[in-house]
């Protein structure tokens, strides 16, 4: 079982200001925050990034930058703008989307897949020059929307600074989740954690405790060598009270 520390994705609280999110995360005793590039830390806004980074650092929170750069639709110049924001934030990791957003992996030709892999490889190399890791969102309607596509993509990228996130697709049966992580777990940096049913209804994380305990226990060793975070993403009704309940649950199943 790999050790993960508890964290938070700020898309969970899109309507709240960054200062309030830091307060909530600190009160909950979290270790890290992934700041959303489409809500709280927009790319190209260095002053905001530096201010949010300062707030996070003062609260003892490590940071990741959740960008919405989507290669090859977005090029290296777009990535550099997001990377500059990550650096101003003090983030050690930047998340990007693999492939054009809202497009299924089955719709890509072989040449399009190669172009996406090459673009991501260049981004991984650029980030490495600044000491920042790159992690790919693991998400429906992307090149990581199913396990074989994700595995082939990371193999084609073939860069030691590019990793995968993992999260279950809504309603994914446990047996399929275990099969997924057996195939791609060696490349996983961090997790996005939530409890949704197949209809994307948000549920208390407690309802998925056995699911997540089993997944974490089965997570294979990873080539990732840094601190690893299991980051809460979305809570019922965007309610801070539900957030604190889910953090308590998260802490329970992160215990060895």
């Amino acid at each position: 079982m790999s050790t993960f520390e508890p964290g938070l994705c700020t898309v969970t609280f899109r309507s709240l200001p960054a200062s309030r999110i830091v307060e909530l995360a600190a009160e909950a005793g979290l270790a890290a925050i992934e700041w959303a590039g489409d809500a709280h830390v927009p790319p190209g806004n260095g002053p905001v990034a530096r201010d949010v980074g300062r707030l996070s650092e003062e609260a003892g929170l490590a940071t990741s930058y959740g960008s919405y750069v989507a290669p090859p639709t977005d090029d290296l110049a777009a990535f550099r703008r997001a990377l500059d924001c990550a650096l101003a934030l003090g983030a050690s990791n930047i998340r990007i989307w693999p492939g054009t957003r809202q497009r299924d992996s089955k719709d890509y030709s072989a040449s399009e897949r190669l172009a996406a892999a090459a673009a991501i490889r260049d981004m991984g190399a650029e980030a490495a020059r600044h000491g920042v890791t790159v992690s790919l969102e693991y998400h429906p309607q992307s090149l990581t929307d199913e396990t074989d596509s994700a595995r082939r993509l990371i193999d084609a990228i073939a860069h030691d600074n590019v990793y995968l996130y993992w999260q279950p697709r809504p309603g994914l049966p446990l047996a399929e989740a275990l099969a997924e992580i057996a195939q791609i777990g060696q490349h996983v940096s961090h997790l996005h954690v939530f409890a949704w049913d197949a209809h994307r209804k948000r549920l208390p994380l407690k309802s998925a405790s056995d699911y997540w305990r089993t997944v974490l226990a089965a997570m294979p060793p990873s080539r990732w060598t840094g601190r690893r975070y299991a980051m809460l993403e979305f809570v019922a009704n965007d309610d801070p009270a539900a957030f604190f309940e889910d953090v308590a649950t998260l802490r329970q199943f992160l215990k060895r």
Side-chain angles (χ1 to χ4, degrees):
M1 177 177 175
S2 298
T3 300
F4 290 85
E5 300 176 69
L8 170 68
C9 298
T10 70
V11 293
T12 305
F13 295 119
R14 287 186 183 276
S15 64
L16 295 182
S19 58
R20 178 57 180 148
I21 293 174
V22 169
E23 289 174 356
L24 289 170
E27 184 178 347
L30 298 183
I33 290 186
E34 182 165 272
W35 289 100
D38 66 343
H40 300 104
V41 185
N45 197 326
V48 167
R50 284 187 290 274
D51 187 53
V52 171
R54 176 186 56 79
L55 290 172
S56 303
E57 183 178 15
E58 289 174 351
L61 294 159
T63 54
S64 174
Y65 185 49
S67 86
Y68 289 85
V69 173
T73 304
D74 293 318
D75 60 11
L76 192 57
F79 177 77
R80 287 188 178 116
R81 287 192 293 273
L83 179 60
D84 286 345
C85 200
L87 292 169
L89 181 64
S92 60
N93 178 71
I94 182 170
R95 184 201 71 202
I96 64 175
W97 287 69
T100 303
R101 296 189 69 190
Q102 307 301 318
R103 185 180 181 189
D104 295 335
S105 63
K106 63 182 176 58
D107 294 334
Y108 284 76
S109 67
S111 61
E112 287 176 319
R113 292 185 65 93
L114 286 174
I120 294 169
R121 188 183 309 117
D122 289 344
M123 293 175 184
E126 178 67 15
R129 285 191 279 272
H130 298 274
V132 175
T133 52
V134 172
S135 297
L136 306 182
E137 179 76 26
Y138 200 87
H139 203 277
Q141 291 193 298
S142 75
L143 282 168
T144 54
D145 61 5
E146 58 90 21
T147 314
D148 183 63
S149 178
R151 181 186 53 77
R152 288 189 291 125
L153 177 64
I154 201 74
D155 288 347
I157 294 166
H159 197 288
D160 60 9
N161 196 47
V162 179
Y163 300 85
L164 295 171
Y165 277 13
W166 186 81
Q167 65 185 44
R169 293 179 294 282
L172 183 73
L174 177 58
E176 293 182 31
L178 296 176
E180 285 195 1
I181 62 173
Q183 288 195 54
I184 54 87
Q186 64 178 307
H187 303 293
V188 170
S189 55
H190 307 297
L191 305 174
H192 282 170
V193 178
F194 50 81
W196 287 5
D197 66 15
H199 304 289
R200 303 175 73 87
K201 179 183 178 181
R202 300 179 189 180
L203 305 170
L205 191 59
K206 185 179 294 186
S207 68
S209 291
D210 289 343
Y211 186 105
W212 278 104
R213 285 183 191 274
T214 304
V215 164
L216 286 162
M219 189 68 65
S222 172
R223 60 188 176 87
W224 177 268
T225 59
R227 295 171 68 183
R228 306 178 83 187
Y229 303 109
M231 296 179 280
L232 282 173
E233 187 179 37
F234 304 112
V235 297
N237 302 314
D238 301 328
D239 183 359
F243 162 71
F244 284 112
E245 291 177 6
D246 282 359
V247 170
T249 300
L250 179 63
R251 288 188 178 283
Q252 286 298 313
F253 62 60
L254 288 180
K255 290 180 179 178
R256 285 187 178 274

